[in-house]
Amino acid sequence: MPTYRELLQQIKSEIEEIDASHARELIDEGSAVVDVRERDEWDEGHLPGAVHVPRGHLESRIERAEPDKERTVILYCSSGNRSAFAAKALEELGYERAVSLAGGFTDWKRNGFPVEIPEALDEPKRRRYSRHLLIPEVGEEGQLRLLQSRVLLIGAGGLGSPASLYLAAAGVGTLGIVDDDAVDETNLQRQIVHSTERLGDSKAESAKRTIEALNPDVTVKVFQERLTAENVDRILGERWDVIVDGADNFPTRYLLNDASVWHRIPVVHGSIFRFEGQTTVFKPFEGPCYRCLFPQPPPPELAPSCAEGGVLGVLPGVIGSLQANEALKIALGIGEPLIGRLLMFDALESTFTEIKLRRDPDCPVCGENPTITDYIDYVEFCQGGRTHVTP
Ligand SMILES: [Zn+2]
């Protein structure tokens, strides 16, 4: 049986080794770089653009990390020994050119070449978000991105309740909540972010308390006010990545639409009535806006609110959760958001229906020649009308 040293010598004679300068040239030419060290070594710094596949998981994970077997793969560890074995393993898996960085990361640093020091999740966060870290599309990078994300919720009611809870649990770092209402008994049938002991409390403050108890990683910014033409620029101006719309009236919906188009912030729209709910994403200038679809609000008699028409308690749970899903996808930059697609849910039939939505080139706000370029009197515009689908 050969000793470790003899085996290493033999492996090194069978693979291609390159020095740090050569590795740098290959990286510039588009080669893949794989770091096969352990997690704590990676966390202290690595080659820019490298992917982390620890040696122990190399064979099982490399094809997902680097599916192109014709591409040159540079493997490195701290000194060039583990990566030599790794290069041999990749050759056996059919990679055309797997090379090992002689001298490893130590030599790379000694040459003064650039090093990327990743921002890393600490141990408690690694545990809390472990089920996210296991998903390749999220992973540590995605979780760090979520923790830096900012989502604004319009309303802490039926839709805002599940949306805020799931966004908070997922680790969205900053949640803004705009609501000037107080918790009353008729809310508790569906607004699960509140509770009986909070009756009479501010909804925004009540939501903040529930969210902070759920996840202390989340900072909640409370706006205990109704969204108006006077405060909308101040509130939307706080660098939000996405807005979740759970508004319960038409003036707020139109105001939010115009402001979000001008601030270029995507809005995840949701609305509910009795057994029917719908959701879509209004991404300014990429898909339609609310006015593209509804240039005028319907007359109030055709648009009863939940207070007037009622709503099944679980329905906002379904639609608000779908809104949270869209907001998370947008924050992570993954999947296909519901841009230009209206998803409708019928709770009695348990069916989802999707319809295509198109931008209106004549839209007064996002069209080619906009006629509305500043805030209007939204209450007058809507004549006190309420959306037929309200939380
Ligand atoms: Zn439009």
Side-chain angles (χ1 to χ4, degrees):
M1 288 287 281
T3 63
Y4 166 71
R5 199 129 291 282
E6 286 162 356
L7 184 61
L8 180 64
Q9 287 311 322
Q10 190 200 325
I11 292 290
K12 284 194 174 180
S13 70
E14 291 169 11
I15 57 141
E16 183 184 352
E17 286 189 295
I18 56 170
D19 65 16
S21 304
H22 191 183
R24 215 178 170 192
E25 285 168 24
L26 288 179
I27 292 166
D28 288 343
E29 289 164 15
S31 297
V33 190
V34 175
D35 186 322
V36 299
R37 297 175 302 163
E38 298 304 312
R39 155 69 55 186
D40 55 327
E41 299 175 279
W42 162 268
D43 285 348
E44 282 167 22
H46 52 75
L47 266 64
V51 292
H52 181 222
V53 187
R55 175 68 191 93
H57 299 288
L58 187 69
E59 287 85 350
S60 60
R61 293 187 188 166
I62 188 64
E63 283 164 328
R64 200 168 62 196
E66 181 47 59
D68 183 359
K69 294 192 173 179
E70 287 170 18
R71 190 178 177 200
T72 299
V73 180
I74 302 166
L75 298 131
Y76 76 92
C77 57
S78 60
S79 64
N81 294 342
R82 280 173 288 174
S83 60
F85 287 100
K88 182 72 185 167
L90 258 56
E91 250 170 42
E92 286 167 357
L93 280 170
Y95 283 81
E96 269 182 21
R97 190 181 178 204
V99 302
S100 168
L101 175 59
F105 187 60
T106 312
D107 205 45
W108 176 271
K109 276 195 298 187
R110 207 177 286 135
N111 276 277
F113 293 160
V115 169
E116 202 169 272
I117 297 172
E119 199 193 339
L121 295 171
D122 58 22
E123 240 349 272
K125 287 192 176 68
R126 204 172 279 288
R127 277 198 301 277
R128 177 180 281 268
Y129 306 113
S130 63
R131 300 304 186 269
H132 269 168
L133 303 189
L134 290 167
I135 309 174
E137 288 81 358
V138 183
E140 181 163 23
E141 198 186 327
Q143 191 61 53
L144 285 163
R145 198 166 163 172
L146 286 180
L147 287 162
Q148 285 157 8
S149 304
R150 302 172 56 85
V151 178
L152 181 67
L153 295 133
I154 309 299
L159 297 169
S161 285
S164 62
L165 286 170
Y166 275 113
L167 293 172
V172 168
T174 306
L175 289 176
I177 299 177
V178 186
D179 203 309
D180 72 335
D181 245 355
V183 180
D184 80 43
E185 281 169 309
T186 67
N187 300 148
L188 298 176
Q189 164 251 22
R190 64 200 177 283
Q191 301 184 11
I192 57 170
V193 79
H194 311 301
S195 60
T196 307
E197 64 173 15
R198 309 260 176 82
L199 285 172
D201 291 2
S202 141
K203 278 192 184 179
E205 287 293 344
S206 164
K208 179 183 160 95
R209 278 173 62 192
T210 307
I211 289 166
E212 286 178 349
L214 171 63
N215 188 352
D217 294 341
V218 182
T219 302
V220 181
K221 176 117 202 234
V222 162
F223 300 92
Q224 209 176 310
E225 49 199 320
R226 174 166 285 263
L227 204 65
T228 66
E230 285 68 44
N231 64 20
V232 68
D233 281 336
R234 167 172 56 80
I235 295 172
L236 264 62
E238 295 196 11
R239 300 179 293 104
W240 303 104
D241 298 304
V242 51
I243 298 171
V244 173
D245 178 14
D248 64 352
N249 63 84
F250 277 116
T252 303
R253 290 229 193 257
Y254 281 94
L255 165 65
L256 176 65
N257 179 71
D258 298 356
S260 63
V261 169
W262 296 329
H263 284 263
R264 292 182 182 255
I265 306 172
V267 173
V268 184
H269 169 92
S271 57
I272 46 173
F273 180 70
R274 290 191 175 165
F275 298 102
E276 289 162 25
Q278 52 190 39
T279 180
T280 185
V281 172
F282 297 123
K283 188 162 188 201
F285 306 106
E286 278 188 34
C289 77
Y290 189 67
R291 280 190 195 265
C292 289
L293 311 181
F294 307 109
Q296 297 290 330
E301 61 274 19
L302 292 181
S305 68
C306 284
E308 292 152 348
V311 62
L312 188 69
V314 69
L315 184 65
V318 175
I319 302 299
S321 300
L322 286 169
Q323 287 181 281
N325 182 48
E326 293 305 302
L328 286 177
K329 278 156 58 187
I330 293 168
L332 287 165
I334 61 171
E336 287 299 324
L338 284 168
I339 300 167
R341 298 188 286 150
L342 181 72
L343 187 65
M344 297 183 293
F345 175 62
D346 181 326
L348 280 180
E349 300 294 325
S350 286
T351 50
F352 283 98
T353 315
E354 184 182 311
I355 57 171
K356 280 242 174 305
L357 306 173
R358 288 184 208 294
R359 269 185 82 188
D360 177 4
D362 298 322
C363 172
V365 173
C366 81
E368 283 153 21
N369 299 296
T371 52
I372 300 172
T373 56
D374 203 352
Y375 300 112
I376 58 169
D377 184 332
Y378 292 88
V379 174
E380 190 191 282
F381 172 68
C382 298
Q383 297 165 321
R386 297 176 68 94
T387 138
H388 72 292
V389 275
T390 75

